[in-house]
Amino acid sequence: MDKSAFGRLLREARRRSLLTLESLAEASGVSVRAISDMERGRSLPRRATLKELMDALECGAQERQLLVQASTPRTHEVPRQLPPDLAVFRGREEALAAVHRLTSQVAASGGHVVISAIGGMAGVGKTTLAVHWAHQVADRFPDGQLYVNLRGFEAENQPLDPGQVLGGFLRTLGTPSGAVPRGTRERAALFRERTSSSQLLVLLDNALDAEQVRPLLPAAPGCLAIITSRNQLAGLAVAEGASLISLDVWTPAEALAALIAKIGEERYLAEPEAAGELVRLCGYLPLAVAVVGAQLKAAPGTPLHHAVRELREDLPRLDALPRLDALSVDEQRADVRAVFSWSYQALTAETARFFRHLALHPGPSMSPEAAASLAGVGTAQAQRHLRALISASLLTRDADGGYVLHDLVRAYTTELLAQEQDDRLLAQKRLLDYLRHNAYPAGQVLDTRPGPQPSETPAPGVVRVVVDSREDALDWFRREEPTAAAALRAMDDPRLLRHRATLADDWSSYYAVQGRWTAEIELLRFAADASLTLDDPRAIVRNCMGLARALAEMGRAEEADVQLELVIAQLDRLGPTARPAAERSIGWVRGRQGRYTEALQHARNALAGFRALGDHSREARERNAVGWYLALLGEYREAITMCESALPLLREAGNRRSEAATWDSIGYATQRLGDLDAAIGHYETSSRLYGEVLDDYSQAEVLDHLASAQLERGDTAQAKANWTRAGDLLGALHATSAAEMRAKAEALA
């Protein structure tokens, strides 16, 4: 974590405690100057100094965790997010010369460069030029490159919110999710702080307007921001000193050169006039020329004059398609449609159908499995279709290998989907089923107690992903997370309410491992809204309970209470089977909030419910929960008795994971009674059991407890070893708390 972020958190904590610099200095024993330097981002505290400050501020557990994480220097990979450059970049000599002149000016003055197209024209090559330029100068920016498609002009999707983009940027730059502010203004301020001493390149692609862009601009002279937009962003030129570069279509010579590069010199020389007419029919638009060139390359026996005739024949009948009109200037409407149509008609019927379904993917890029599920085909078949579409220049790839539809192509496929009357609703159901039914096995691999297996059967044609390792699971969740969030935002058909209400059920395991509570909250709000609209008590409890848990993790107690009230209002509607689980979850949130008396009452309610059901396995788990809250309330001997009563039931059920949790609770209570040797033995039993069931996250928590007992006994070397091991386990899971464990180990050096 950088110093400025820690300073902001410390200043906020001091103000919440109603302390001045002087009064905090007096209470903590830390000098006014040292505290002032920390708050201004000039220094980070030593571990002992931080403890004195947190004690003086009377910080709660959540606030302490954030401050410890923020005070620990974090390492992160230098971001390299640029999409791939073209193997050969042709034309645009004048524009390239202009942008390279600007590169040196930006380095000297801190200005920002804007690339936009005349009249907002799509397909003119703004992104291609921006990416090519960025790759050429990337080595001048050693702190990395950030890229985002702001989706400013997609008819089927809303432009990206700047706050959402800033959250992703900040996490990419090493900020833990818990330290990312909630508001866009605060996130923008932190982003400027994080990049204030960086040499960073930021490419903001497909921006809607200046208001969307402004919060995303770095402030340091060593940074370069490249923005593409169909609009002229004159406001940035006035207020931010941006340099405006307007792109027009290719010149006839540039368009012809690009076509020749695709079809070959010999073929051009055989029919030069036909080649010239082809690029004219394309309106000299780079995207259209690329599509025509790809089609001709795939059909080397087609004479160019035949292609001209076919393209001309397509022009009149394409006037019936209205939605693409807004994406092109008047004189090129039919030309662009004709180009796409000519390429589309060359596809096989199966690939054409697959292509149409891609219009329904709501995310910025798509995986082969998601695309296959949309179309209801197998993954291998989808891969063949994707290769064919790449060859036809109807798709591109992003930096992570995802497949991307240019928004002009997306508009065309959307029109085709309606024209061919494909089953839009069924395709959307398949995508939502893909996201739900694959989250369950991936969550199981992460070993963070996923919810019950989905009772619904996925629609035919939904791809099931094989997940063999934690890394596979995390990769799947990371790849599909933008799709899941976009699907909940965009797929608002009332007939999909049930799918939207259940989509988030099995994503909690991923967010727990990552500590990405902000992203989980966003996802669950959509799911909770759908549940409330359905008035389904079980769905309301699941989603609002998940929201309350994530909000409690963020320390947002009042907002968590609002969600708990919604849950409590549903308890009488749940019936005896579902109510105990809801009581258990409410108890967990109350425990996280430090409201242990209420947590204990809800845990006892859950225990009574499980007993009445004769559910001995969950009864045993809840005995441990009751014991844990008793221990937190200082009733250590009663806690031990309750937890020990759970052990035979857990062994009988073969539930080693919950047995491990119970030994951890017994160890905690025993440690507080002063029997350190016994406590260490209990913690070691818990750690061993968690290791056997491959629950690395919980094992790391127990190692933290074990190390604290060993340190209290004076065994510094063992404590350091276990905190180091806990940090390694959490680091492998990409959990933000890894830094805290490593910091504890380093403090014992």
Side-chain angles (χ1 to χ4, degrees):
M1 173 70 73
D2 65 317
K3 299 173 185 177
S4 60
F6 173 79
R8 177 179 56 81
L9 290 174
L10 179 61
R11 182 168 57 252
E12 291 173 356
R14 176 174 62 78
R15 290 174 176 171
R16 278 195 297 271
S17 300
L18 303 178
L19 295 176
T20 63
L21 284 171
E22 291 75 13
S23 54
L24 178 57
E26 182 179 352
S28 65
V30 182
S31 71
V32 171
R33 180 174 180 179
I35 298 172
S36 176
D37 284 348
M38 292 176 210
E39 288 192 359
R40 288 184 290 172
R42 294 183 176 180
S43 64
L44 291 173
R46 296 180 180 178
R47 190 62 50 189
T49 302
L50 177 59
K51 184 178 184 303
E52 291 164 353
L53 289 169
M54 292 190 297
D55 290 345
L57 292 166
E58 299 181 353
C59 294
Q62 184 70 24
E63 197 169 30
R64 285 176 181 265
Q65 182 180 7
L66 289 176
L67 285 166
V68 168
Q69 291 175 353
S71 67
T72 305
R74 295 174 61 85
T75 58
H76 64 275
E77 294 182 6
V78 174
R80 309 287 185 195
Q81 296 184 342
L82 292 179
D85 194 9
L86 292 179
V88 179
F89 184 88
R90 291 182 173 84
R92 301 297 191 199
E93 286 84 1
E94 184 177 340
L96 276 176
V99 298
H100 283 305
R101 286 194 299 270
L102 289 170
T103 303
S104 58
Q105 294 174 15
V106 169
S109 67
H112 304 286
V113 181
V114 177
I115 303 174
S116 65
I118 292 176
M121 186 186 300
V124 78
K126 302 179 298 295
T127 299
T128 302
L129 175 64
V131 168
H132 180 65
W133 173 22
H135 275 284
Q136 287 194 318
V137 301
D139 59 351
R140 305 187 192 184
F141 302 93
D143 295 312
Q145 309 98 40
L146 298 174
Y147 170 85
V148 63
N149 178 358
L150 294 171
R151 309 183 75 174
F153 298 91
E154 294 186 8
E156 295 293 314
N157 295 290
Q158 293 294 318
L160 287 187
D161 177 71
Q164 179 186 352
V165 176
L166 285 165
F169 280 177
L170 288 168
R171 286 187 290 270
T172 296
L173 294 172
T175 305
S177 292
V180 175
R182 292 172 58 189
T184 298
R185 183 176 300 176
E186 293 76 16
R187 290 183 176 190
L190 181 57
F191 177 63
R192 289 191 294 271
E193 290 178 6
R194 288 300 317 268
T195 57
S196 61
S197 58
S198 301
Q199 292 178 284
L200 192 70
L201 189 154
V202 182
L203 203 169
L204 308 173
D205 195 15
N206 200 15
L208 176 65
D209 53 30
E211 294 307 310
Q212 187 187 28
V213 165
R214 279 198 177 94
L216 310 177
L217 298 176
C223 295
L224 168 63
I226 304 173
I227 303 124
T228 75
S229 177
R230 295 186 198 170
N231 291 329
Q232 289 283 354
L233 304 183
L236 289 181
V238 174
E240 280 76 23
S243 301
L244 302 180
I245 297 177
S246 295
L247 285 187
D248 201 345
V249 296
W250 271 334
T251 65
E254 287 176 327
L256 192 58
L259 180 65
I260 293 170
K262 285 280 189 180
I263 66 174
E265 185 81 17
E266 182 178 348
R267 204 169 173 189
Y268 160 70
L269 291 175
E271 298 183 87
E273 292 182 1
E277 180 62 8
L278 277 174
V279 297
R280 191 195 67 79
L281 288 171
C282 290
Y284 309 116
L285 190 68
L287 177 61
V289 173
V291 171
V292 166
Q295 180 60 32
L296 288 169
K297 183 177 180 180
T302 300
L304 299 189
H305 67 275
H306 285 183
V308 169
R309 184 178 66 249
E310 291 175 11
L311 208 50
R312 282 177 175 161
E313 289 173 354
D314 279 333
L315 297 184
R317 67 179 183 81
L318 289 168
D319 289 336
L321 296 175
R323 295 188 61 199
L324 200 61
D325 294 348
L327 299 177
S328 307
V329 291
D330 290 345
E331 61 268 28
Q332 290 172 338
R333 288 175 185 163
D335 296 347
V336 173
R337 279 203 184 86
V339 167
F340 291 159
S341 176
W342 188 54
S343 189
Y344 171 72
Q345 290 171 20
L347 301 174
T348 65
E350 293 80 8
T351 300
R353 177 187 172 278
F354 180 86
F355 177 55
R356 295 194 300 271
H357 281 77
L358 299 188
L360 297 174
H361 192 282
S365 67
M366 66 194 86
S367 66
E369 295 83 3
S373 296
L374 268 172
V377 301
T379 304
Q381 188 177 354
Q383 292 278 18
R384 290 195 295 272
H385 294 321
L386 290 167
R387 285 194 294 269
L389 294 171
I390 287 284
S391 297
S393 291
L394 293 172
L395 280 180
T396 58
R397 306 289 294 272
D398 65 12
D400 297 319
Y403 293 87
V404 179
L405 272 178
H406 188 285
D407 47 13
L408 202 60
V409 180
R410 183 186 292 273
Y412 177 67
T413 58
T414 301
E415 294 174 347
L416 289 173
L417 191 77
Q419 188 181 50
E420 297 294 331
Q421 298 183 333
D422 291 301
D423 194 332
R424 179 189 186 99
L425 181 65
L426 180 58
Q428 291 177 321
K429 285 181 178 179
R430 283 194 297 262
L431 180 62
L432 292 170
D433 279 348
Y434 164 76
L435 295 168
R436 168 80 202 281
H437 287 268
N438 284 295
Y440 178 78
Q444 280 193 311
V445 171
L446 293 182
D447 285 329
T448 50
R449 299 182 179 89
Q453 187 166 359
S455 57
E456 313 88 3
T457 301
V462 172
V463 171
R464 304 304 290 264
V465 176
V466 177
V467 178
D468 292 325
S469 67
R470 293 173 184 272
E471 202 55 47
D472 286 346
L474 287 171
D475 284 347
W476 184 85
F477 277 119
R478 289 178 189 134
R479 184 172 68 246
E480 302 298 355
E481 181 186 2
T483 300
L488 282 175
R489 283 194 298 269
M491 294 183 178
D492 54 1
D493 190 311
R495 294 170 293 178
L496 295 173
L497 273 175
R498 178 68 58 187
H499 285 75
R500 297 175 69 215
T502 59
L503 176 60
D505 284 1
D506 295 301
W507 283 70
S508 59
S509 55
Y510 165 65
Y511 289 116
V513 166
Q514 297 288 287
R516 297 197 55 213
W517 315 121
T518 302
E520 182 177 18
I521 288 167
E522 180 187 0
L523 193 76
L524 283 169
R525 286 202 192 279
F526 287 106
D529 287 345
S531 303
L532 291 165
T533 302
L534 284 170
D535 194 29
D536 181 333
R538 291 191 177 219
I540 292 170
V541 167
R542 280 196 310 269
N543 290 307
C544 293
M545 199 66 249
L547 256 179
R549 174 183 50 76
L551 289 164
E553 292 279 12
M554 293 282 291
R556 293 156 61 175
E558 292 183 4
E559 293 178 76
D561 283 342
V562 172
Q563 299 302 319
L564 283 185
E565 289 173 7
L566 291 170
V567 172
I568 292 169
Q570 303 298 319
L571 289 180
D572 291 337
R573 301 178 64 193
L574 290 179
T577 303
R579 179 161 181 161
E583 294 273 13
R584 171 182 171 82
S585 297
I586 296 170
W588 186 94
V589 173
R590 291 304 189 212
R592 195 68 177 178
Q593 292 174 321
R595 296 161 64 169
Y596 303 132
T597 301
E598 294 173 66
L600 177 60
Q601 184 58 55
H602 285 291
R604 282 176 166 158
N605 292 345
L607 179 58
F610 290 136
R611 280 174 175 164
L613 291 171
D615 190 335
H616 300 304
S617 175
R618 290 200 285 181
E619 175 191 343
R621 286 177 57 195
E622 205 58 26
R623 284 175 181 267
N624 172 53
V626 170
W628 174 245
Y629 297 133
L630 285 167
L632 292 172
L633 288 167
E635 302 294 337
Y636 302 123
R637 297 191 187 282
E638 187 180 354
I640 292 171
T641 300
M642 177 60 73
C643 290
E644 287 179 340
S645 73
L647 289 173
L649 294 173
L650 291 169
R651 292 190 186 115
E652 182 181 347
N655 190 341
R656 288 186 293 165
R657 180 178 287 107
S658 292
E659 184 184 349
T662 304
W663 281 114
D664 179 42
S665 300
I666 295 171
Y668 178 90
T670 306
Q671 182 181 357
R672 268 65 188 172
L673 289 172
D675 190 347
L676 295 178
D677 290 341
I680 288 170
H682 299 324
Y683 286 141
E684 288 175 339
T685 299
S686 175
S687 175
R688 174 180 56 78
L689 287 168
Y690 273 132
E692 289 175 2
V693 297
L694 304 178
D695 191 338
D696 291 352
Y697 192 89
S698 298
Q699 186 179 22
E701 290 185 331
V702 174
L703 289 171
D704 179 28
H705 301 163
L706 173 59
S708 71
Q710 290 168 331
L711 183 62
E712 189 176 346
R713 192 175 66 176
D715 194 344
T716 305
Q718 280 298 316
K720 180 181 178 182
N722 281 313
W723 269 320
T724 300
R725 187 180 171 206
D728 291 343
L729 288 172
L730 292 168
L733 295 173
H734 306 282
T736 56
S737 51
E740 181 184 358
M741 298 299 104
R742 289 166 179 155
K744 289 181 178 181
E746 291 166 3
L748 298 181

